[in-house]
Amino acid sequence: MTSPQDESKTQNLFTESGYYQPTESSSTSMLADVEDRPSPPVNRYHGGIDFGLLALRLALGAILGAHGLQKVFGLFGGPGIDGTARMLESMGYTAQPTLLAWVTGLSELIGAVLVVLGLFTQIGAAAILGVTVNMIYVQWRGGFFEPNGFEFELLLATVAFALLFTGSGRIALDVNTPWRRRPVPFGLFFLLIAAAAAVVVIVLAR
């Protein structure tokens, strides 16, 4: 049973045409409920992006790591350091080819390990980018398409370039580092280093 006071309060919520008319107090309480709801965190976990970045890192690291093992240790039918030095000489890198073979092989190998682990990701990506830019320069005259073109090296360089500015993602050892949370300034810094290294090698070693 409802009291006459409750019935009068209920009737006051309706207009003469029979439509519900909320009171100011009810509207205020509804707004308060909305405001009290916690907003989603800005840095929340996004599984799709992180998984995609992991896939890119693994693919880039596997390809460059295999090439680095070929150059440094002669694995997978690779030429080893001596063969790599001769290959670089044939490409026009005639100044200190043995030293350059070590630099190239270790840049590929160490860069691949860092990218796969997501540890100092921008450093690894910069090392890979410096090597691939030189390969693009060498194969530029062969046109864009394989077998003599630079399309494959351009793809690898683009992935390395992207990782400079995206960072490793959360599925990585870099997850709690400032360069993972703010990758753009660090990416710009290491992009300049990669570009400078590529130019120095092209100018001094050819």
Side-chain angles (χ1 to χ4, degrees):
M1 296 293 291
T2 58
S3 64
Q5 293 179 349
D6 293 335
E7 291 179 357
S8 63
K9 290 179 180 179
T10 304
Q11 291 174 356
N12 290 334
L13 295 177
F14 293 87
T15 63
E16 293 179 356
S17 60
Y19 289 100
Y20 178 74
Q21 182 180 15
T23 62
E24 183 178 353
S25 60
S26 63
S27 300
T28 304
S29 62
M30 290 172 63
L31 290 174
D33 292 339
V34 172
E35 292 175 355
D36 290 340
R37 293 176 186 173
S39 59
V42 176
N43 198 24
R44 63 181 176 180
Y45 181 82
H46 194 313
I49 292 177
D50 294 324
F51 183 75
L53 288 173
L54 175 64
L56 288 177
R57 285 167 32 219
L58 292 178
L60 183 65
I63 294 170
L64 269 298
H67 282 279
L69 290 173
Q70 284 184 315
K71 291 179 176 67
V72 176
F73 300 109
L75 299 179
F76 308 118
I81 291 297
D82 292 337
T84 302
R86 290 192 295 270
M87 179 183 66
L88 291 172
E89 275 190 299
S90 68
M91 292 178 178
Y93 294 92
T94 55
Q96 299 293 330
T98 301
L99 176 61
L100 188 58
W102 277 106
V103 172
T104 302
L106 290 177
S107 295
E108 291 179 344
L109 188 57
I110 296 174
V113 171
L114 294 179
V115 165
V116 167
L117 295 177
L119 177 65
F120 304 113
T121 305
Q122 280 95 339
I123 296 178
I128 292 172
L129 184 60
V131 172
T132 51
V133 165
N134 269 271
M135 294 307 300
I136 292 171
Y137 177 82
V138 169
Q139 296 181 235
W140 186 266
R141 293 181 181 179
F144 179 75
F145 296 103
E146 294 289 344
N148 298 319
F150 59 88
E151 58 178 331
F152 180 63
E153 288 75 14
L154 178 62
L155 177 61
L156 297 177
T158 302
V159 175
F161 177 85
L163 288 175
L164 283 175
F165 296 97
T166 62
S168 61
R170 287 178 175 265
I171 310 175
L173 297 179
D174 277 342
V175 61
N176 292 320
T177 58
W179 50 88
R180 203 281 304 173
R181 291 192 293 267
R182 297 188 302 275
V184 173
F186 290 95
L188 286 172
F189 176 74
F190 286 109
L191 175 62
L192 293 176
I193 291 180
V199 170
V200 167
V201 169
I202 291 172
V203 171
L204 297 182
R206 290 181 65 85

